[in-house]
Amino acid sequence: YCCCTLLSIRGIPQISYASTAPELSDDRRYDFFSRVVPPDSFQAQAMVDIIRALDWTYVSTVASEGSYGEKGVEAFQQISKEAGGICIAQSLKITHNPKLEDYDEAIQQLLETPHSRGVIIFASEEDVRGLLNATKRANQVGHFLWIGSDSWGAKSSPIHQLEDVAVGAVTILPKRSSIKGFDEYFTSLTLENNRRNVWFAEFWEENFDCRLLSSSKREDTSRKCTGQERIGIDSKYEQEGKVQFVIDAVYAMAHALHNMQRDLCPEHSGICPVMEAAEGKTLLKYIRNASFNGSAGTSVMFNKNGDAPGRYDLFQFQMTNSSVPEYRPIGQWVETLQLRLEELQWPEGEQAVPISMCSLPCKTGERKKRVKGMPCCWHCELCDGYQYQYDETSCRLCSYDMRPNPNRTECQPIPIVKLEWHSPWAVIPVFLAMLGIIATIFVMATFIHYNDTPIVRASGRELSYVLLTGIFLCYIITFLMIAKPDVGVCSFRRIFLGLGMCISYAALLTKTNRIYRIFEQGKQTVTAPRFISPTSQIAITSSLICLQLLGVLVWFAVDPPNTIIDYDEQKTMNPNLARGVLKCDITDLQMICSLGYSILLMVTCTIYAIKTRDVPEDFNEAKPIGFTMYTTCIVWLAFIPIFFGTAQSAEKLYIQTTTLTISMNLSASVALGMLYMPKVYVIIFHPELNVQKRKRSFKAMVTAATMSSRISVKPSERPNGEAKTELCENPPTAPTDPMSESHNMAINVFCNYYVVSVVVEVAAQTVSNEFFIFLVTVYCTCNSMVSVTSHDTY
């Protein structure tokens, strides 16, 4: 550099045949410097192109201390940074006069980043050999993948006896050819015919490892040179790689001088005064404009910075078929890379190009989370949940009705499901509903066929048919709840969801309320209660049902029926299990409100059933109604926690629909079984009981009462275990005279027997309601008189 600087200061042009330092391309500092070899910046560009062709992104660099190594690595780092996609794991420097420990330490440092297998070497031959030796000592043969600069080139000296460590190394050498004429000339040189070269004698001693007798400086050998040795015969000879460039440098200067002389001295055959007076800048202009075919047949030229074009041959040290390793050409770099990848061979017989990456490529559906400060290093994170891979560094959430595909590269629609007929959740309710419908139709057909028989008439035909209609609708709703939702199905669901229960419990409530009012009125007066005729009962029941229908109409007006696809109900943590549920636009609250009115009727009916539980069992249906309502309440009390407790379950649609339909089926079945099955059983299997009882004469009743007087009936042993009658107030304490007590009992039996007999006739609608109230009043009065008078007075 000092020589170049000095010559530049003095304005003396210079042509180099070996200097490749990148900084010599600085035309501001070394403006008079030119060279016929490409600068190391071209070599660094070739290395970057090789690494990118091998798809490496994570490499280390090793440089010998000094301008060549440090500047070469610096150029490589700069170009790789500009190109992008290549990261430097470590950048090591081998100091001058290194020890074995220094090489071992360098190898250990390289092993700290094991994923960085590719190593770029800008180092001297000695340092290359030292690194290969250290690799062998560390037992890491085949781990590192070397990319050597032109100082390694295709030389055998750096890898002598280290061939196994160097296998797979890719090296770069400026494009050159062997000059045959030079070999002939140089091998013919002897001490006698080459006395003009003052250094030739020193070369002779070094080449043949001997000492010349005169003025020898070698002291490490005692062998004497005879002068008869021949180069290439008595010593190993290999043409120096830079011979071509030496010849080209000389010819470049010659062409520049020739062109300068031709232009400045056109009329002179030699140097003219004008040429002698010319400055260095004039000669530099002719040097930079020189262009000719060099000794190897390639063109020699200079760019504006005085650099020769970059032309490199690429070699790889390979094991050949004969198991003898050698350098084999694998391509070239002439401004662009031409690399024959199929001819590459790698250590340990690897077929594919080895990997030299900080992080392996992420799998499909994973994003890169880069390490700070290291763009080539990242952690792979799976796009989890309902996210898909938007690009290599980010994930995005799918829309609410979509889920990622199996590769998580895009979103796909979530499958739509509904409750299917063949599902176990539907089979059981449908089976129960079908049995219930068959039973209901059978009961209704039986009642219609025996419409005028006493049992059917005594059951209240009008309300019975209304109640059976409600039970039938309770079974029908099962099919509507399971059918595929559409606007029509959703409309019918809203109408019939609570209608069946409403009709059933409205009829039962009307019936129990009628009984309750009759007996309460009978305790106070002989006047019949209002609205106890069949027509009135139907009107009351219809009014209660109309309230339910009115609520449904309001619901239709406020929120018209529609279908929705609920993607939240079955949106599981695993997107593959996510499903959209096709259902009617009915919320849980709306469903409970629709059933709420029916539940209110049910509770009210239960209260009346409790109040009329003590009415004689031969008189009405209070007790069967009571058992029906108690059981129904238990069913619906179990329904509520199941229905709301599964609101967050992924099986919500199935569980709630099945629970609701089974509850309604059970409610209908309880009413059907307890209220009508016993009657149907009597009608079909015991028709002899389904006849109107004969009216007994007054004399027969007195006879029965007289016979009953012989039986001592204690108050504690009366029916129902009570000491008072069920329809009257507590009477005053009866007399204790045995005869009087006997007579009183006889009269009491007479009253009870007579009234009950007439009540049966009333139930069969053979007497008027007014006469029925009259008889209830007589019954209560009779019991009171027996309690306060003697038999004779009575």
Side-chain angles (χ1 to χ4, degrees), residues 73-85:
V73 167
E74 182 180 328
F76 173 81
Q77 292 176 341
Q78 181 64 30
I79 295 173
S80 63
K81 184 178 180 181
E82 293 174 356

Side-chain angles (χ1 to χ4, degrees), residues 154-228:
K155 298 175 184 176
S156 58
S157 56
I159 60 174
H160 181 59
Q161 296 182 345
L162 295 172
E163 290 82 359
D164 55 339
V165 187
V167 169
V170 177
T171 59
I172 296 178
L173 190 64
K175 188 176 284 292
R176 64 185 182 182
S177 298
S178 178
I179 308 301
K180 295 182 179 179
F182 180 82
D183 289 340
E184 296 174 1
Y185 163 75
F186 193 78
T187 54
S188 64
L189 292 177
T190 63
L191 292 173
E192 288 77 14
N193 62 18
N194 193 24
R195 296 181 180 276
R196 65 183 181 86
N197 191 333
V198 296
W199 296 285
F200 189 72
E202 184 177 345
F203 163 77
W204 194 272
E205 290 181 326
E206 184 69 26
N207 187 46
F208 295 106
D209 192 24
C210 60
R211 295 181 60 188
L212 293 173
L213 296 179
S214 59
S215 64
S216 176
K217 297 181 180 180
R218 288 179 59 89
E219 298 179 357
D220 56 346
T221 182
S222 58
R223 181 171 176 271
K224 295 182 180 180
C225 299
T226 63
Q228 301 300 318

Side-chain angles (χ1 to χ4, degrees), residues 89-117:
Q90 296 191 67
S91 187
L92 307 181
K93 182 171 65 175
I94 306 298
T95 60
H96 288 301
N97 303 318
K99 301 177 182 179
L100 291 179
E101 293 79 5
D102 295 331
Y103 294 119
D104 293 335
E105 182 180 355
I107 295 300
Q108 292 303 319
Q109 288 180 330
L110 292 175
L111 290 174
E112 291 177 1
T113 53
H115 295 296
S116 174
R117 295 182 63 186

Side-chain angles (χ1 to χ4, degrees), residues 429 474 477-478 481 493 497 501 591-592 595 635-636 639 642-643 653-667:
C474 286
I477 190 65
T478 298
M481 296 300 294
R493 280 189 190 179
L497 180 62
M501 291 179 59
M591 184 175 295
I592 294 301
L595 295 173
V635 170
W636 287 96
F639 160 78
I642 296 175
F643 187 86
L653 169 69
Y654 310 127
I655 296 176
Q656 290 189 345
T657 302
T658 302
T659 304
L660 176 62
T661 53
I662 289 180
S663 297
M664 298 189 73
N665 288 339
L666 290 178
S667 300

Side-chain angles (χ1 to χ4, degrees), residues 285-314:
K285 182 183 70 172
Y286 284 97
I287 292 175
R288 296 287 174 85
N289 291 330
S291 177
F292 60 94
N293 287 330
S295 56
T298 57
S299 62
V300 177
M301 63 184 66
F302 304 95
N303 61 14
K304 63 178 183 178
N305 296 324
D307 297 327
R311 289 189 290 261
Y312 296 95
D313 286 321
L314 308 179

Side-chain angles (χ1 to χ4, degrees), residues 154-451:
K155 298 175 184 176
S156 58
S157 56
I159 60 174
H160 181 59
Q161 296 182 345
L162 295 172
E163 290 82 359
D164 55 339
V165 187
V167 169
V170 177
T171 59
I172 296 178
L173 190 64
K175 188 176 284 292
R176 64 185 182 182
S177 298
S178 178
I179 308 301
K180 295 182 179 179
F182 180 82
D183 289 340
E184 296 174 1
Y185 163 75
F186 193 78
T187 54
S188 64
L189 292 177
T190 63
L191 292 173
E192 288 77 14
N193 62 18
N194 193 24
R195 296 181 180 276
R196 65 183 181 86
N197 191 333
V198 296
W199 296 285
F200 189 72
E202 184 177 345
F203 163 77
W204 194 272
E205 290 181 326
E206 184 69 26
N207 187 46
F208 295 106
D209 192 24
C210 60
R211 295 181 60 188
L212 293 173
L213 296 179
S214 59
S215 64
S216 176
K217 297 181 180 180
R218 288 179 59 89
E219 298 179 357
D220 56 346
T221 182
S222 58
R223 181 171 176 271
K224 295 182 180 180
C225 299
T226 63
Q228 301 300 318
E229 297 89 354
R230 290 294 178 265
I231 299 174
I233 298 177
D234 298 318
S235 67
K236 185 177 180 180
Y237 169 75
E238 180 181 3
Q239 187 179 121
E240 169 61 42
K242 293 184 174 60
V243 171
Q244 169 192 340
F245 301 111
V246 174
I247 297 174
D248 290 343
V250 173
Y251 271 98
M253 182 64 74
H255 278 279
L257 291 173
H258 175 74
N259 293 335
M260 181 179 178
Q261 189 273 338
R262 185 185 57 191
D263 292 341
L264 298 182
C265 307
E267 298 178 356
H268 294 77
S269 59
I271 299 176
C272 63
V274 177
M275 188 175 177
E276 288 182 351
E279 297 181 350
K281 288 184 178 181
T282 304
L283 178 59
L284 178 64
K285 182 183 70 172
Y286 284 97
I287 292 175
R288 296 287 174 85
N289 291 330
S291 177
F292 60 94
N293 287 330
S295 56
T298 57
S299 62
V300 177
M301 63 184 66
F302 304 95
N303 61 14
K304 63 178 183 178
N305 296 324
D307 297 327
R311 289 189 290 261
Y312 296 95
D313 286 321
L314 308 179
F315 299 90
Q316 187 182 40
F317 193 69
Q318 300 178 353
M319 297 292 292
T320 62
N321 295 333
S322 61
S323 299
V324 177
E326 64 178 6
Y327 293 100
R328 298 188 62 181
I330 56 173
Q332 63 180 356
W333 190 92
V334 181
E335 295 185 356
T336 58
L337 178 66
Q338 302 173 31
L339 181 64
R340 298 186 291 275
L341 291 172
E342 68 278 1
E343 296 183 9
L344 297 178
Q345 296 181 11
W346 303 102
E348 301 178 356
E350 292 185 65
Q351 297 297 323
V353 177
I355 296 174
S356 182
M357 298 179 177
C358 179
S359 302
L360 295 177
C362 292
K363 298 178 182 179
T364 303
E366 295 180 339
R367 73 178 185 92
K368 295 179 180 179
K369 185 178 181 181
R370 299 192 183 279
V371 178
K372 187 176 181 180
M374 294 295 291
C376 299
C377 301
W378 57 79
H379 302 294
C380 294
E381 290 186 351
L382 179 66
C383 296
D384 57 355
Y386 288 82
Q387 295 181 330
Y388 71 99
Q389 184 182 4
Y390 179 71
D391 54 34
E392 67 175 11
T393 60
S394 62
C395 299
R396 287 193 177 181
L397 192 66
C398 293
S399 59
Y400 75 98
D401 59 342
M402 307 284 278
R403 67 178 182 181
N405 63 359
N407 293 330
R408 293 186 177 272
T409 55
E410 60 182 0
C411 294
Q412 62 184 13
I414 295 177
I416 308 302
V417 299
K418 65 179 185 64
L419 184 57
E420 301 291 344
W421 292 101
H422 57 77
S423 169
W425 297 99
V427 170
I428 296 176
V430 169
F431 178 73
L432 294 177
M434 292 178 66
L435 291 180
I437 290 173
I438 294 172
T440 305
I441 294 174
F442 177 74
V443 171
M444 190 174 293
T446 302
F447 267 52
I448 293 174
H449 185 266
Y450 297 94
N451 188 58

